[in-house]
């Protein structure tokens, strides 16, 4: 186009020619201009469109009343379009998981029970339902416009301008886009609110979206079960009984969506459909319907202020959400809701001033520009995708915390009730549907014709990012600290391994119940083996017969989670093994006490210890006491002060343990095996030692035990005279009355 | 037939399960933009998106436009949450530890 290389080349005397050629070019340019900007342009100026929208804002909402005849035409055409749409969208079908109640709860449209085709239904089958139900709902509903619907058939009363509006507003079909994969060309930019006002079948007016902060977080449309097809009048009139008034006082545009769920007339139309709203939000406050809504229920128009006064307590606040709630959880929530409701009810006096806000509020409701951007089925489709991801092959594992937490709660509450009148509530179980595991062989994306594979890394296909090489430290470099640290680390690793075993063992009961008869012996064997492994881990595996050192065990006991783990393991161990543990603990008690000063978690061991003690024979009990007092097997001259015992006495755990041992001894004495114990010199010696120490220790230094067994008094009475007995009594508060 | 979406990875399910048990409790959510919102946990999903009801901005009300309105509900996208402060007695730490251990075991397999 440029004939001249540079400006210098342009000869001045050729100006005329140049201008002429330029003139020719100008003509071309003009034509181009026209095509781009002028009359030839097909594209609409979005700014212009926007201004038109602004004008529409002021037009009154004349489109309230439905014209049934026109609407039904409309509906049929809509249905026609929906069918085409459905065909197209069926290509996007997701494997239908209709059997899963969790998923189906998330969607509003329920596919009909009988499939015409008889094949697996697609998730888009909801449309058939929609169409079918349109009949009875016609009198109440207005169709909403979906951005996917285009080239809406024009209704006769519409003006020419509206025709143009609609065509501009519509989107071209996805699949008809000439370039496959390119985004659909939009005449109107995405996000422009639909223009509606003059068309009666659009039930909402456009309001230029207000820059209200509160709107921003609430752009998410909570899908209502009936697709916002109610007229705004109806929306406002639906009783708001289930909502706490203060909670939805200012929620713009969304107050009435929850209310739609309670419209009983709509419920009638949905035969056999007990579909709670997908949105938990609305569900929480909108509490969907009982399965058979009484047809006689009339919606009575409420004045705005009466929103607050008309709080109907609902007997069953069904909380339908996308997950199953454990019955216990549901009960707790229900209680909580009721509490809130009573609170709010008492605040009704202050509700009067809110009435004024309500009218403007309703205005906003009608003019929500972002309503109905998606069809209900589209929302359902998205919900289904999300819900399908949550299908689990093993709900026990996947949802471990939740299920176990509420099981525990129930046990606790059941236990409490047992003490009272007896179990009032049934023990309800949470049953989560389980899905067979599908093998998802992840294949990384490949393009045809490309050389090699793309390096795409994702959650399912992680790539190695760093080449980390493990270097082992040489022995020479180790300092004492490092050794200590390593030892501690090793202990930690041992604890974790043992914990895994423990969790497995705890799980066996459940597995046992689930397994077949033939598998059970094998399971038992496994369990036993694991218990042995655990014990070995605890005590440190020594090939020799003796267990020379408690070192390993003590190391474990120095760590807080180690102690807790031992407490949990003890019930699974055999009596000898448990006694062994007990001995080791008693032997090293002062050391452990010192180490436990920070954690104070030794007390968790008391309960399992006491359980073990219950099973111990007298000989063991004696040796246990010996350990506590730190006396070697052979009798020695007792030292003036037994430091070991003293330390034990000064610690809560130690003292409690001592009491338990003594109490057990006393029990044994009273039982048939008492004769042995009485004759046991060791026992007598130990007892005198113990009493001596107890007497010696100042009361202030004595720890407070967890509980003082009642038979101690009779125990001491055997070994000390009356005077000392009295001293002991007061010191240890052995008699109930003293406290 | 269409393709079904793959199940959630284990690492997500622990926290989802945990937060589910906290539904209905009062929590304080601190976001990555330093905003702290106190409210009742209404619901949570597998992405840990949180819906709160009865919200209020804790401590200094630097965001008065939220503070002025009476009762509010909000939706918080999971990825913007920095912390969630919980009531201590609603949490069973031992169970949580067990759940974490189980999950670690599963991931190794």
């Amino acid at each position: 186009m440029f004939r001249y290389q540079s400006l210098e080349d342009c000869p001045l005397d050729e100006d005329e020619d140049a201008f002429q050629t330029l003139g020719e070019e100008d003509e071309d340019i003009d034509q181009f201009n026209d095509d781009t900007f002028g009359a030839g342009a097909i594209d609409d100026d979005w700014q212009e469109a926007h201004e038109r929208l602004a004008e529409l804002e002021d037009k009154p909402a004349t489109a309230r009343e439905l014209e049934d005849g026109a609407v039904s035409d409309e509906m049929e055409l809509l249905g026609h379009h929906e069918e085409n749409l459905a065909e197209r969208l069926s290509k996007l079908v997701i494997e239908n998981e209709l059997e899963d109640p969790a998923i189906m709860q998330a969607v509003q449209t329920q596919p009909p029970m009988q499939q015409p085709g008889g094949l697996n239904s697609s998730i888009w089958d909801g449309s058939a339902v929609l169409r079918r139900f349109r009949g009875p709902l016609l009198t109440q509903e207005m169709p909403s416009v979906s951005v996917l619907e285009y080239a809406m058939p024009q209704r006769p009363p519409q003006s020419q301008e509206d025709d143009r509006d609609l065509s501009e507003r519509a989107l071209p079909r996805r699949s008809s886009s000439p370039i496959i994969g390119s985004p659909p060309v939009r005449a109107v930019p995405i996000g422009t609110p639909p223009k509606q006002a003059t068309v009666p079948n659009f039930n909402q007016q456009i309001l230029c979206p207000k820059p209200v902060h509160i709107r921003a977080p609430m752009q998410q449309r909570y899908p209502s079960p009936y697709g916002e097809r109610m007229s705004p009048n109806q929306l406002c009139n639906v009783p708001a009984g289930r909502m706490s008034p203060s909670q939805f006082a200012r929620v713009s545009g969304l107050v009435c969506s929850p209310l739609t769920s309670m419209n009983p007339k709509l419920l009638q139309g949905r035969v056999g459909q007990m579909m709670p709203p997908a949105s938990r939000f609305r569900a929480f406050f909108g509490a969907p319907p009982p399965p058979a809504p009484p047809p006689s229920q009339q919606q009575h128009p409420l004045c705005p202020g009466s929103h607050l006064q008309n709080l109907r307590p609902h007997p069953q606040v069904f909380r339908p959400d996308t997950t199953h709630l454990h019955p216990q959880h549901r009960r707790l929530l229900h209680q909580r809701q009721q509490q809130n409701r009573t609170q709010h009810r008492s605040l009704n006096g202050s509700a009067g001033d809110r009435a004024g806000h309500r009218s403007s509020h309703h205005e906003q409701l009608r003019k929500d520009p972002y309503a109905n951007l998606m069809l209900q089925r589209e929302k359902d489709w998205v919900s289904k995708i999300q819900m399908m991801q949550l299908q689990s092959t093993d709900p026990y594992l996947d949802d471990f915390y939740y299920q176990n937490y509420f099981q525990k709660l129930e046990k606790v509450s059941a236990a409490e009730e047992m003490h009272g009148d007896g179990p009032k509530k049934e023990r309800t179980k949470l049953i989560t549907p389980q899905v067979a595991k599908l093998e998802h062989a992840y294949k990384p994306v490949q393009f045809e014709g490309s050389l090699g594979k793309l390096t795409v890394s994702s959650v399912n296909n992680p790539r190695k990012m760093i080449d980390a090489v493990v270097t082992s430290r040489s022995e020479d470099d180790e300092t004492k600290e490092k050794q200590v640290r390593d030892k501690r680390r090793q202990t930690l690793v041992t604890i974790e391994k043992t914990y895994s075993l423990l969790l497995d063992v705890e799980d066996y009961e459940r597995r046992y119940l689930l397994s077949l008869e033939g598998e059970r012996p094998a399971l038992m064997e496994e369990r036993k083996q694991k218990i042995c492994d655990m014990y070995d881990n605890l005590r440190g595996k020594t090939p020799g017969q003796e267990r020379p050192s408690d070192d390993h065990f003590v190391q474990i006991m120095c760590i807080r989670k180690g102690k807790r783990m031992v407490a949990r393991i003890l019930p699974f161990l055999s009596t000898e093994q448990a006694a062994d543990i007990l001995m080791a603990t008693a032997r090293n008690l002062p050391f452990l006490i010192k180490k436990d000063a920070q954690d104070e978690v030794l007390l968790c061991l008391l309960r399992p210890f006491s359980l073990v003690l219950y099973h111990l024979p007298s000989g063991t009990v004696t040796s246990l006491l010996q350990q506590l007092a730190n006396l070697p097997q052979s009798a020695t001259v007792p030292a003036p002060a037994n430091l070991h015992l003293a330390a034990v006495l000064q610690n809560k755990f130690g003292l409690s343990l001592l009491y338990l041992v003594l109490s057990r001894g006393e029990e044994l004495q009273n039982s048939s095996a008492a004769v042995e114990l009485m004759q046991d010199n060791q026992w007598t010696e130990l007892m005198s030692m113990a009493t001596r120490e107890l007497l010696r220790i100042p009361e202030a230094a004595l720890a407070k035990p967890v509980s003082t067994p009642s038979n101690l008094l009779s125990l001491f009475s055997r070994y000390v005279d009356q005077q000392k007995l009295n001293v002991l009594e007061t010191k240890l508060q052995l008699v109930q009355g003293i406290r | 037939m269409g393709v079904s979406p793959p199940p959630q990875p284990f690492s997500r399910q622990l926290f989802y399960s945990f937060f589910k048990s906290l539904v209905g409790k009062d929590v304080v959510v601190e976001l990555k933009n330093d905003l702290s919102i106190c409210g009742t946990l209404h619901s949570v999903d597998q992405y840990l998106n949180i819906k709160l009801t009865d919200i209020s901005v804790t401590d200094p009300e630097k965001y008065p436009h939220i503070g002025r309105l009476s009762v509010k509900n909000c939706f918080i996208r999971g990825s913007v949450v920095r912390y969630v402060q919980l009531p201590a007695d609603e949490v069973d730490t031992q169970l949580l530890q067990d759940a974490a251990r189980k999950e670690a075991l599963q991931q190794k397999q």
Side-chain angles (χ1 to χ4, degrees):
Chain A
M1 196 161 176
F2 296 113
R3 293 180 210 144
Y4 308 102
Q5 294 294 327
S6 68
L7 211 51
E8 286 95 37
D9 292 338
C10 179
L12 287 172
D13 42 338
E14 283 180 301
D15 273 353
E16 295 256 342
D17 297 336
F19 281 143
Q20 269 181 0
T21 48
L22 280 179
E24 284 164 13
E25 283 168 18
D26 273 343
E27 283 171 23
D28 289 335
I29 288 176
D30 278 342
Q31 192 182 4
F32 290 140
N33 266 341
D34 255 352
D35 284 341
T36 316
F37 300 112
I42 305 169
D43 270 9
D44 186 26
D45 185 4
W46 70 267
Q47 282 169 331
E48 200 184 332
H50 194 73
E51 278 173 26
R52 246 181 264 135
L53 294 181
E55 286 165 33
L56 292 174
E57 170 191 349
D58 301 326
K59 290 192 184 165
T62 52
R64 281 308 131 75
E65 292 86 38
L66 281 174
E67 299 162 35
D68 287 353
V71 168
S72 56
D73 287 343
E74 184 63 37
M75 289 298 214
E76 280 166 21
L77 289 165
L78 259 183
H80 174 65
H81 277 293
E82 288 239 338
E83 264 178 48
N84 288 338
L85 207 53
E87 283 166 23
R88 251 161 268 279
L89 287 166
S90 64
K91 289 173 195 164
L92 301 170
V93 145
I94 289 180
E95 190 81 32
N96 195 14
E97 307 293 334
L98 284 178
E99 298 79 37
D100 192 332
I103 291 186
M104 294 322 291
Q105 268 187 344
V107 300
Q108 278 78 59
T109 59
Q110 190 177 29
M113 291 303 146
Q114 301 157 0
Q115 294 295 334
L119 297 172
N120 290 340
S121 47
S122 77
I123 59 167
W124 288 104
D125 277 338
S127 66
V129 172
L130 277 177
R131 261 176 272 132
R132 209 182 294 161
F133 286 148
R134 222 164 257 153
L137 294 173
L138 270 183
T139 50
Q140 303 159 29
E141 289 190 345
M142 294 204 190
S144 61
V145 176
S146 162
V147 290
L148 289 184
E149 290 166 352
Y150 65 96
M152 293 280 293
Q154 300 306 312
R155 298 174 57 229
Q158 284 180 9
S159 63
Q160 292 296 322
E161 200 192 334
D162 289 331
D163 284 349
R164 205 171 145 239
D165 284 350
L166 288 168
S167 62
E168 283 160 359
R169 190 190 166 278
L171 286 182
R173 288 183 197 236
R174 281 190 196 134
S175 53
S176 67
S177 173
I179 308 162
I180 295 171
S182 70
V185 174
R186 296 189 75 106
V188 173
I190 294 169
T192 311
K195 306 177 225 176
Q196 294 166 337
T198 55
V199 181
N201 54 332
F202 301 145
N203 67 342
Q204 275 151 359
Q205 282 200 328
I206 312 306
L207 184 68
C208 283
K210 290 184 182 171
V212 177
H213 285 282
I214 209 76
R215 275 219 189 231
M218 302 219 231
Q219 283 307 335
Q220 177 187 4
R221 298 292 304 164
Y222 305 127
S224 80
Y226 312 106
E228 280 112 43
R229 288 164 198 250
M230 292 169 72
S231 77
N233 280 335
Q234 290 164 323
L235 288 179
C236 303
N237 289 338
V238 172
R242 292 184 200 171
M243 297 196 310
S244 342
S246 50
Q247 276 164 346
F248 268 167
R250 308 288 179 101
V251 173
S252 54
L254 298 172
V255 172
C256 289
S257 332
L259 301 183
T260 61
S261 69
M262 300 184 297
N263 190 336
K265 282 194 187 165
L266 287 179
L267 295 177
Q268 289 173 37
R270 299 273 158 170
V271 175
Q273 180 181 8
M274 191 184 114
M275 276 310 155
S279 156
R280 291 180 192 182
F281 219 97
R282 191 172 6 75
F284 191 44
F285 301 104
S296 58
Q297 219 175 342
Q298 292 294 322
Q299 43 175 3
H300 49 280
L302 292 174
C303 63
S306 70
H307 260 278
L308 308 166
Q309 279 117 33
N310 189 32
L311 293 171
R312 280 190 265 125
H314 285 270
Q316 177 205 13
V317 179
F318 180 69
R319 187 196 162 87
D321 51 8
T322 46
T323 59
H324 292 301
L325 272 193
H326 195 277
Q328 180 81 345
H329 198 179
R330 201 169 290 165
R331 255 180 258 140
L332 288 173
L333 279 171
H334 183 37
Q335 285 169 11
R336 210 164 188 240
Q337 277 179 36
Q338 286 193 325
Q339 277 174 8
N340 284 345
R341 225 171 272 139
T342 47
Q343 275 176 19
H344 288 302
R345 219 175 264 142
S346 63
L347 294 173
N348 265 348
S350 63
D353 54 307
R354 294 197 188 166
H357 298 288
R358 219 149 271 283
S359 46
S360 63
H361 189 37
H362 291 323
E363 287 288 311
Q364 290 177 5
L365 289 174
R366 288 190 288 263
K367 296 176 192 172
D368 188 355
Y370 292 100
N372 298 337
L373 287 176
M374 284 171 78
L375 271 186
Q376 187 52 45
R377 52 190 275 159
E378 292 153 15
K379 295 174 198 168
D380 291 343
W381 185 66
V382 175
S383 297
K384 273 196 188 181
I385 294 177
Q386 186 162 346
M387 290 317 294
M388 279 174 65
Q389 272 194 316
L390 285 176
Q391 280 179 324
S392 71
T393 54
D394 187 357
Y396 178 73
L397 279 179
D398 292 338
D399 206 13
F400 182 78
Y401 183 86
Y402 183 77
Q403 299 201 357
N404 286 59
Y405 183 76
F406 281 102
Q407 263 180 33
K408 280 192 184 179
L409 268 188
E410 265 202 27
K411 273 185 208 162
V412 167
S413 66
E416 283 169 16
E417 276 164 15
M418 286 304 270
H419 293 312
D421 302 332
K424 286 174 194 163
K425 297 173 193 162
E426 284 177 18
R427 295 252 192 111
T428 42
K429 274 176 74 177
L430 175 69
I431 302 173
T432 315
Q434 208 165 327
V435 167
K437 195 166 195 174
L438 293 173
E439 273 307 310
H440 290 273
Y442 175 72
K443 279 178 58 190
V445 64
Q446 290 170 350
F447 287 116
E448 289 177 8
S450 65
L451 294 173
K453 290 182 186 164
L454 293 175
T455 51
V456 170
S457 144
S458 75
V459 165
N460 297 320
N461 177 36
R463 311 287 271 170
K464 193 173 182 187
M465 299 294 281
I466 304 174
D467 249 334
V469 177
V470 177
T471 53
S472 55
R473 243 177 279 122
S474 64
E475 293 292 324
D476 304 334
D477 294 344
E478 277 184 19
T479 62
K480 182 115 193 286
E481 280 176 19
K482 276 192 189 175
Q483 278 179 351
V484 166
R485 210 190 320 143
D486 277 349
K487 195 160 192 192
R488 190 183 168 88
R489 277 191 198 156
Q490 272 192 345
T491 315
L492 287 170
V493 168
T494 311
I495 291 179
E496 281 303 323
K497 284 194 190 145
T498 318
Y499 241 121
S500 317
L501 289 171
L502 174 64
L503 287 176
D504 255 343
V505 169
E506 280 179 350
D507 213 21
Y508 265 100
E509 193 185 312
R510 188 188 68 97
R511 282 174 67 183
Y512 198 80
L513 290 170
L514 291 174
S515 67
L516 307 168
E517 277 298 325
E519 296 172 352
R520 286 184 182 182
L523 279 179
M524 292 299 288
E525 272 307 305
E526 272 181 37
R527 186 172 175 271
K528 272 188 207 153
Q529 181 56 40
K530 290 201 175 166
I531 292 175
C532 283
D533 289 339
M534 280 200 298
Y535 182 70
D536 287 338
N537 280 348
L538 272 185
R539 293 297 265 132
K541 285 186 206 140
T542 44
Q545 291 163 346
E546 265 187 71
R547 295 199 183 278
S549 74
D550 292 332
D551 190 42
H552 196 95
F553 178 70
V554 169
Q555 285 299 317
I556 290 180
M557 289 292 274
C558 287
I559 299 173
R560 184 192 292 154
K561 62 177 172 178
K563 284 179 265 215
R564 286 200 202 272
M565 183 183 69
V566 168
R568 278 173 80 174
I569 287 181
L570 269 176
F572 293 105
L573 294 177
S574 70
T575 316
E576 300 91 43
Q577 289 170 329
D580 197 27
I581 298 280
L582 215 51
M583 294 286 195
T585 314
R587 219 173 300 146
N588 298 285
L589 200 49
F591 181 69
L592 291 176
I593 287 172
K594 195 171 55 153
K595 284 285 182 177
D596 190 44
Q598 220 180 9
D599 296 332
E600 292 179 20
V601 91
L602 270 176
L603 292 167
C604 71
L605 288 165
L606 264 181
R607 179 166 257 220
F609 275 1
S610 66
L611 287 172
V612 171
L613 266 175
Y614 196 72
H615 297 286
L616 288 182
S618 59
T620 327
V621 177
T622 316
S623 2
L624 196 55
L625 188 55
Q626 214 168 38
Q627 301 292 344
L628 275 175
N630 197 24
L631 288 179
Q633 293 282 19
S634 57
T636 55
V637 178
N642 187 331
L643 293 170
H644 185 117
L645 194 55
V648 168
L649 291 176
Q650 286 175 15
N651 174 264
K652 189 167 184 174
F653 172 70
L655 189 58
S656 314
L657 186 59
L658 182 67
Y659 279 3
L660 285 173
V661 173
L662 291 176
S663 166
R664 178 69 186 145
E666 175 64 10
E667 271 172 40
L668 284 173
Q669 282 196 349
N670 291 336
S671 70
S672 58
V675 185
E676 289 175 36
L677 206 60
M678 289 279 272
Q679 291 171 351
D680 194 348
N681 288 333
Q682 275 186 332
W683 178 258
T684 321
E685 238 181 79
L686 289 167
M687 276 311 303
S688 45
M689 151 92 30
T691 45
R692 209 176 340 178
E693 200 58 39
L694 279 168
L695 286 166
R696 188 191 70 81
I697 271 198
E699 193 166 336
L702 209 57
K704 272 189 87 172
V706 171
S707 65
T708 314
S710 47
N711 52 4
L712 281 183
L713 194 58
S714 56
L715 174 69
F716 288 134
S717 63
R718 284 184 230 266
Y719 299 99
V720 291
D721 56 19
Q722 189 59 36
Q723 191 193 23
K724 286 186 182 163
L725 187 62
N726 289 336
V727 176
L728 273 178
E729 232 179 297
T730 41
K731 203 175 191 182
L732 303 175
Q733 296 171 341
L734 290 175
V735 182
Q736 289 282 338
I738 292 181
R739 279 185 237 172
Chain B
M1 286 301 203
V3 181
S4 61
Q8 284 288 303
F10 287 126
S11 47
R12 273 199 201 153
Q13 285 169 335
L14 173 65
F15 283 107
Y16 176 46
S17 180
F18 176 61
F19 278 116
K20 265 200 298 185
S21 77
L22 290 173
V23 165
K25 310 289 187 289
D26 289 329
V27 298
V28 179
V29 179
E30 179 174 327
L31 306 180
K32 288 179 181 170
N33 65 0
D34 296 339
L35 175 60
S36 282
I37 302 179
C38 166
T40 311
L41 184 65
H42 176 272
S43 64
V44 66
D45 68 6
Q46 74 261 42
Y47 308 109
L48 304 187
N49 298 327
I50 290 173
K51 282 190 195 165
L52 297 175
T53 61
D54 247 347
I55 62 174
S56 60
V57 182
T58 60
D59 290 346
E61 301 235 351
K62 285 188 273 179
Y63 304 90
H65 60 272
I66 298 177
R68 234 185 284 130
L69 300 176
S70 53
V71 184
K72 302 123 285 181
N73 315 288
C74 75
F75 172 91
I76 302 174
R77 189 184 149 92
S79 62
V80 306
V81 172
R82 186 186 288 147
Y83 300 126
V84 177
Q85 296 167 20
L86 322 162
D89 42 357
E90 299 292 344
V91 176
D92 184 345
T93 45
Q94 175 164 296
L95 192 57
L96 196 53
Q97 284 183 14
D98 287 349
R101 286 191 176 103
K102 279 195 184 252
E103 191 185 285
L105 276 177
Q106 280 173 342
Q107 281 198 325
K108 274 188 210 168
Q109 287 166 9

